[in-house]
Amino acid sequence: MRKLIIIQNCHTQSRVIKRTRELIDAGIDVEVYGFRWEGSIEPSLPYPIKVLGTFKEHSFVDRFRVLLKSMRIIKREHPRKENALFYVFSLDLMMLFHFIYPSAEYIYEESDLTHTYLGSKILRTLLEKLDKRLIRKSYKTVFTSEGFIRYHFGENTPINSVLIPNKLDKKVLELTLPQQRKTEANHLVLGFVGVPRFKAVRDFINVFCARFPQHEFHVFGGPIKQDIEAFEALQQYPNYHYHGAFKSPGDLPEIYGSLDAVLSTYDTEYINVRFAEPNKLYEAIYFETPIIASKGTFLADKIMEMGVGFEVDTTKESDVISLVNQLTVDAIEAKRRNCANIPNNNAVNDNTEFVKEVANYLQA
């Protein structure tokens, strides 16, 4: 039986930990390599890991150097490619892995279209071609959003692609759900749950809190360092409330139960966020809380198709005002019913078939 060699781009990321854990829990013989980010807090991992290096923030040259050295270490420790299947996270790791180890078999997981953030159109095009080539040559490529598959291939989905959205951990099924807040026509309570990284979140809050003082907006989770001042400026509004960090999934029932709707808006000038499928969709469905997304995104299209929320253009104050005026008691209750009609299991992570297929492939 061959060994599964997992190469993590960030060993502290919850999605990466969850994916690794479910492969190990299936009884697969796994060896894990990873990288840390400078200044990050070391997590308590449920498996052993060999940390190969540390990335410095905003230092591409240093990151490339660390990755290149690390890939050579992995190849030296696993010279016989026929004895292993590799599971590689992120495009930059995948490119260097394939360069150092061109004939090795691998599973590639893509959770972001990272190359689309580059300023050079020529470089973006070249990396897109390389990305698609790496996808096609893989044993399997795991996508965390159906939107990413559409971005790459339109309707011509490769047969080796696997869609695994970032759904809720099964632990959520053990939680007791509180009674949902009763929506009041003249007192809406909206919120954002997570790390508010996008200007589209601040833009919405500014209009909402300034133009609708009878309503409330709550933020659960802290902004990243460069956005702290911008979010502190929102404290000028008496109907804005910041709660800081929370525990997931333990605090989620109480948080979602206190909201009439949850905001999940993105800055749509970025290609990656236009095609992403964030876990907030599945949290909203599971906790029966309507979700608000940015117009022109894959997320908004899916929300509107499922009837579980609303869409808004946060760059236009008039559009935000129009949306808030549409958030009537009846409209919110209709979206809640649509959420409730979706079986809970559809919002919960279950990759049994994929994990079983990988286990069988390793045994062959």
Side-chain angles (χ1 to χ4, degrees):
M1 179 177 176
R2 289 182 292 172
K3 179 177 286 191
L4 184 67
I5 311 299
I6 297 178
I7 310 174
Q8 304 175 345
N9 59 326
C10 181
H11 78 297
T12 62
Q13 193 175 85
S14 59
R15 175 185 52 83
V16 174
I17 294 171
K18 181 169 64 177
R19 186 81 70 246
T20 302
R21 192 187 67 216
E22 65 187 1
L23 290 163
I24 292 172
D25 289 347
I28 294 174
D29 186 11
V30 167
E31 188 171 343
V32 185
Y33 294 89
F35 301 86
R36 68 167 61 90
W37 286 88
E38 192 174 57
S40 64
I41 299 173
E42 284 295 302
S44 177
L45 297 174
Y47 48 79
I49 182 172
K50 182 174 183 178
V51 178
L52 295 170
T54 301
F55 297 140
K56 295 179 181 178
E57 196 169 358
H58 307 306
S59 178
F60 174 79
V61 174
D62 177 75
R63 181 179 172 89
F64 180 84
R65 179 185 58 78
V66 171
L67 286 176
L68 190 60
K69 179 181 177 181
S70 300
M71 293 302 168
R72 287 173 173 154
I73 292 173
I74 294 172
K75 185 176 182 180
R76 186 167 63 245
E77 294 185 356
H78 299 280
R80 294 177 61 83
K81 62 181 185 298
E82 62 271 17
N83 292 339
L85 173 67
F86 295 85
Y87 196 120
V88 185
F89 291 85
S90 83
L91 177 58
D92 54 353
L93 265 70
M94 191 65 252
M95 287 190 300
L96 281 172
F97 170 80
H98 192 60
F99 175 74
I100 297 295
Y101 220 155
S103 57
E105 286 190 290
Y106 59 88
I107 299 170
Y108 169 31
E109 179 158 333
E110 185 168 72
S111 61
D112 287 294
L113 303 172
T114 52
H115 59 291
T116 63
Y117 286 106
L118 296 172
S120 169
K121 185 176 181 180
I122 294 174
L123 188 54
R124 287 200 309 269
T125 301
L126 287 173
L127 288 176
E128 172 63 16
K129 289 181 178 179
L130 178 58
D131 197 8
K132 289 166 74 171
R133 183 173 183 271
L134 291 169
I135 291 166
R136 291 192 176 101
K137 287 180 67 66
S138 69
Y139 158 59
K140 296 287 182 184
T141 291
V142 173
F143 295 97
T144 58
S145 170
E146 184 183 349
F148 295 159
I149 303 175
R150 292 186 185 180
Y151 175 79
H152 288 309
F153 304 105
E155 300 300 321
N156 301 315
T157 304
I159 59 173
N160 64 332
S161 63
V162 179
L163 177 62
I164 303 182
N166 196 17
K167 297 184 179 182
L168 294 173
D169 192 286
K170 288 182 179 179
K171 290 181 180 178
V172 76
L173 296 171
E174 302 170 7
L175 301 176
T176 301
L177 301 185
Q179 186 174 357
Q180 189 78 32
R181 164 185 161 78
K182 184 174 176 60
T183 301
E184 302 171 39
N186 296 314
H187 187 79
L188 293 175
V189 180
L190 306 190
F192 181 90
V193 184
V195 180
R197 294 175 293 165
F198 295 99
K199 182 175 179 292
V201 176
R202 298 196 303 271
D203 288 347
F204 183 96
I205 296 172
N206 266 308
V207 176
F208 180 83
C209 289
R211 299 299 294 267
F212 299 94
Q214 73 275 28
H215 301 325
E216 296 179 29
F217 198 96
H218 296 252
V219 170
F220 302 89
I224 55 179
K225 287 189 295 184
Q226 57 264 40
D227 291 333
I228 287 177
E229 288 187 10
F231 276 91
E232 286 179 343
L234 296 172
Q235 299 286 356
Q236 65 178 298
Y237 302 114
N239 55 340
Y240 169 78
H241 307 278
Y242 172 67
H243 301 277
F246 61 92
K247 294 180 180 179
S248 181
D251 292 340
L252 293 180
E254 184 177 353
I255 290 172
Y256 277 91
S258 69
L259 302 176
D260 294 307
V262 63
L263 190 70
S264 187
T265 51
Y266 293 83
D267 299 345
T268 54
E269 65 265 32
Y270 299 116
I271 294 172
N272 183 63
V273 299
R274 292 206 301 270
F275 289 90
E277 188 173 345
N279 66 341
K280 299 306 163 193
L281 169 63
Y282 298 101
E283 288 182 3
I285 290 171
Y286 188 86
F287 295 111
E288 299 176 14
T289 306
I291 182 171
I292 302 168
S294 294
K295 284 182 180 176
T297 61
F298 173 78
L299 175 61
D301 290 345
K302 190 156 189 174
I303 286 170
M304 300 305 287
E305 181 182 336
M306 299 173 77
V308 296
F310 309 88
E311 59 180 359
V312 64
D313 183 350
T314 61
T315 66
K316 298 178 181 177
E317 181 174 327
S318 59
D319 207 58
V320 175
I321 293 171
S322 175
L323 168 71
V324 177
N325 287 329
Q326 293 173 44
L327 298 179
T328 64
V329 173
D330 288 344
I332 289 173
E333 287 303 319
K335 303 301 183 184
R336 280 181 174 163
R337 286 194 298 272
N338 290 340
C339 290
N341 288 334
I342 299 172
N344 281 346
N345 286 340
N346 287 15
V348 175
N349 184 60
D350 184 3
N351 304 319
T352 305
E353 291 304 314
F354 169 69
V355 172
K356 187 184 299 183
E357 187 173 350
V358 172
N360 291 339
Y361 188 76
L362 290 166
Q363 291 175 344

